[in-house]
């Protein structure tokens, strides 16, 4: 609980952070990486280059200040942060580094407005938050039976092309076993090392990929999209261009709080776009194994049929789920297609909710979504307008999140 002395300064910071938050987080990362270049191996430098990570941290700091007394709003956000931290191996020793440079950045950007009282209030708030995260991360490491940053060597069993820009990589242990348990919707980190031209010290980067198959399979499957440009697509493109059957990849345990309750018989609506289909297929296949008669709507948007990944999985799963209704949206292309239940050709254009929610009991349905942030913002707003409570809308974000719903 924030102290009564610090509370007025945190509350007064909300409009200040709205105006200067991005400048503060940009300065924070510049300071920290200059003082601790080894942390370049821990943070996603593609997100740094695009500015996405700076924006995400700014929105997180703002959301924390704006919801300092709203534990119900902050808890799910903190849970998500804990899993992302564990996936990259964050340690308690990293928190003093982050705190020191974040508070210094606040002082540098705000200048005279950063009074000693304001900095002291934010130091108190930071360490309250850090203490919660450190404790939660310790519990998560204990549950997964891993140490921070621990990776296991997994053998590439096979690689299958899924579409024009996606491949599926099947991973097993050296003795051909499943690498470990996971829940539908979870992800793993994959580590890559390479040496830049003219450099002698290797660079290391971690990237997170959703597990795209059912948890009961004797493998872990990653479905990876080729990304245009670098450094954003550096690891994904390396997996496309260089990995082959028999190779060994360093991979983390499975993490992620997007783990929906797949048991039960209430309607389930799965919304995805692009490579956001990967956790949704894992959820769908898990539901098919537990309750194949459950009413499910699987709605997916892709550029066209050529770029729609995991089509064989949808056909196979649809054959086992009589109450599954698949609704496809293709932005391009005129070739007719039939969905997995044989009900309709894909709609032309971006996803709209009218055909998706036809016949769905919105008073009971759970909605899961995954895709680019603009896609999820649009669907989130549309669902709320139709009366679906936010508590029954769950989303998985690839990369930094801007926490729009808390701002």
């Amino acid at each position: 609980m924030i102290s009564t002395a610090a509370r007025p300064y945190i509350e007064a910071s909300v409009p200040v952070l709205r105006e200067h938050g991005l400048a503060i987080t940009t300065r924070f990362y510049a300071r920290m990486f200059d003082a601790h270049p080894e942390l370049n191996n821990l943070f996603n430098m593609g997100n740094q280059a695009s500015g996405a990570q700076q924006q995400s941290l700014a929105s997180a700091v703002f959301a924390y200040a704006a919801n300092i007394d709203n534990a119900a709003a902050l808890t799910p956000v903190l849970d998500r942060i804990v899993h992302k931290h564990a996936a990259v191996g964050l340690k308690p020793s990293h928190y003093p580094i982050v705190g020191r440079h974040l508070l210094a950045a606040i002082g540098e950007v705000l200048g005279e407005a950063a009074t000693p009282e304001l900095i002291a209030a934010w130091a108190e708030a930071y360490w309250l938050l850090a203490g919660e995260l450190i404790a939660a991360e310790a519990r998560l490491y204990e549950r997964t039976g891993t140490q921070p940053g621990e990776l296991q060597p997994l053998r590439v069993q096979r690689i299958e092309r899924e579409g024009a820009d996606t491949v599926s990589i099947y991973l097993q242990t050296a003795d051909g076993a499943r690498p470990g348990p996971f829940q539908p919707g979870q992800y793993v980190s994959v580590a890559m090392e390479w040496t830049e031209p003219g450099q002698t010290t290797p660079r290391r980067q971690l990237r997170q990929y959703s597990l795209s198959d059912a948890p009961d399979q004797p493998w872990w499957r990653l479905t990876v999209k080729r990304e245009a440009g670098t450094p954003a697509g550096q690891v994904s493109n390396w997996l496309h261009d260089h990995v082959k059957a028999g190779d060994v990849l360093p991979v983390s345990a499975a993490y992620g709080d997007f783990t929906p309750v797949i048991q039960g018989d209430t309607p389930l609506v799965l919304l995805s776009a692009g490579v956001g289909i990967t956790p949704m297929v894992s959820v769908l296949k898990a539901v098919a194994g537990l309750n194949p008669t459950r009413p499910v709507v699987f709605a997916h948007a892709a550029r066209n049929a050529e770029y729609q990944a995991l089509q064989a999985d949808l056909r196979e799963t649809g054959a086992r789920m009589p109450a599954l209704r698949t609704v496809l949206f293709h932005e391009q292309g005129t070739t007719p297609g039939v969905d997995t239940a044989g009900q309709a050709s894909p709609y032309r254009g971006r996803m709209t909710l009218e055909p998706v929610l036809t016949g769905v009991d919105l008073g009971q349905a759970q909605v899961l979504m995954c895709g680019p942030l603009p896609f999820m913002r649009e669907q989130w707003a549309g669902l709320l307008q139709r009366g679906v409570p936010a508590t029954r809308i769950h989303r998985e974000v690839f990369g930094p999140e801007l926490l729009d719903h808390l701002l």
Side-chain angles (χ1 to χ4, degrees):
M1 178 71 70
I2 196 77
S3 70
T4 55
R7 185 179 304 278
Y9 293 96
I10 300 300
E11 293 174 347
S13 298
V14 172
V16 176
L17 292 174
R18 186 189 295 274
E19 181 178 357
H20 299 290
L22 182 56
I24 291 170
T25 57
T26 300
R27 180 60 189 142
F28 154 69
Y29 281 116
R31 282 183 53 94
M32 186 174 68
F33 289 137
D34 183 59
H36 296 275
E38 72 278 6
L39 294 181
N40 284 277
N41 293 334
L42 192 66
F43 287 80
N44 185 322
M45 300 314 292
N47 291 332
Q48 290 290 326
S50 70
Q53 187 62 58
Q54 294 89 329
Q55 293 179 23
S56 177
L57 180 58
S59 74
V61 173
F62 178 34
Y64 181 62
N67 294 273
I68 194 71
D69 289 321
N70 188 357
L74 289 175
T75 296
V77 175
L78 297 185
D79 288 343
R80 181 165 299 175
I81 291 172
V82 164
H83 280 268
K84 288 186 178 294
H85 283 180
V88 299
L90 205 70
K91 302 176 181 179
S93 59
H94 290 126
Y95 280 91
I97 297 172
V98 171
R100 182 167 63 253
H101 291 285
L102 180 59
L103 293 172
I106 292 173
E108 291 176 8
V109 172
L110 298 187
E112 293 182 357
T115 63
E117 293 80 7
L118 178 70
I119 296 299
W122 269 103
E124 179 183 329
Y126 172 78
W127 280 109
L128 281 173
L129 175 61
E132 291 184 41
L133 293 175
I134 290 170
E137 287 154 19
R139 292 191 295 270
L140 182 55
Y141 287 131
E142 184 176 2
R143 287 202 304 272
T144 57
T146 61
Q147 296 297 316
E150 181 179 346
L151 303 173
Q152 60 175 323
L154 297 183
R155 180 177 58 84
V156 177
Q157 186 224 21
R158 70 181 190 274
I159 299 175
E160 295 182 353
R161 179 155 294 281
E162 297 287 358
D165 61 353
T166 53
V167 295
S168 282
I169 302 172
Y170 292 76
L171 300 172
Q172 292 183 318
T173 61
D175 57 357
R178 183 180 65 167
F182 71 92
Q183 297 296 317
Q186 289 193 308
Y187 54 82
V188 297
S189 289
V190 177
M192 184 193 90
E193 284 193 1
W194 75 99
T195 303
E196 300 279 8
Q199 302 294 319
T200 57
T201 303
R203 284 190 62 190
R204 180 177 182 271
Q205 283 281 272
L206 292 164
R207 292 293 185 274
Q208 288 72 51
Y209 299 99
S210 291
L211 294 159
S212 64
D213 212 338
D216 59 356
Q217 295 291 349
W219 51 64
W220 282 358
R221 183 177 70 177
L222 313 179
T223 301
V224 181
K225 177 186 174 185
R226 178 183 290 278
E227 299 288 351
T230 57
Q234 206 158 33
V235 176
S236 296
N237 296 347
W238 175 76
L239 292 172
H240 270 257
D241 295 335
H242 300 291
V243 172
K244 59 186 183 302
D247 286 350
V248 174
L249 298 177
V251 181
S252 75
Y255 294 105
D257 69 328
F258 181 69
T259 52
V261 178
I262 57 176
Q263 299 184 3
D265 54 8
T266 57
L268 183 63
V269 179
L270 307 177
L271 308 177
S272 61
V275 75
I277 195 174
T278 53
M280 297 305 182
V281 166
S282 179
V283 171
L284 181 68
K285 297 183 80 169
V287 172
L290 289 171
N291 184 4
T293 61
R294 184 176 184 178
V296 178
V297 179
F298 191 101
H300 178 66
R303 186 184 309 179
N304 54 41
E306 183 181 1
Y307 285 85
Q308 183 183 320
L310 302 174
Q311 295 186 55
D313 290 85
L314 290 180
R315 288 192 295 270
E316 183 273 331
T317 308
R320 295 189 284 128
M321 298 185 69
L324 172 66
R325 183 165 61 89
T326 304
V327 187
L328 305 176
F329 298 82
H330 291 166
E331 291 189 17
Q332 305 170 353
T334 56
T335 303
V338 177
D339 74 8
T340 56
Q343 294 173 352
S345 297
Y347 290 89
R348 180 70 179 272
R350 299 165 64 89
M351 182 182 292
T352 58
L353 288 175
E354 285 75 15
V356 174
L357 300 180
T358 298
V360 175
D361 181 358
L362 297 182
Q364 298 292 325
Q366 294 283 335
V367 182
L368 315 179
M369 67 172 74
C370 185
L373 276 173
F375 165 82
M376 291 198 290
R377 286 176 179 140
E378 182 178 351
Q379 306 312 322
W380 182 283
L383 290 164
L384 293 179
Q385 289 174 1
R386 287 163 176 79
V388 180
T391 54
R392 287 196 274 108
I393 307 173
H394 314 276
R395 62 184 185 177
E396 172 61 26
V397 179
F398 290 163
E401 186 175 8
L402 298 185
L403 306 177
D404 311 64
H405 57 298
L406 294 182
L407 305 183

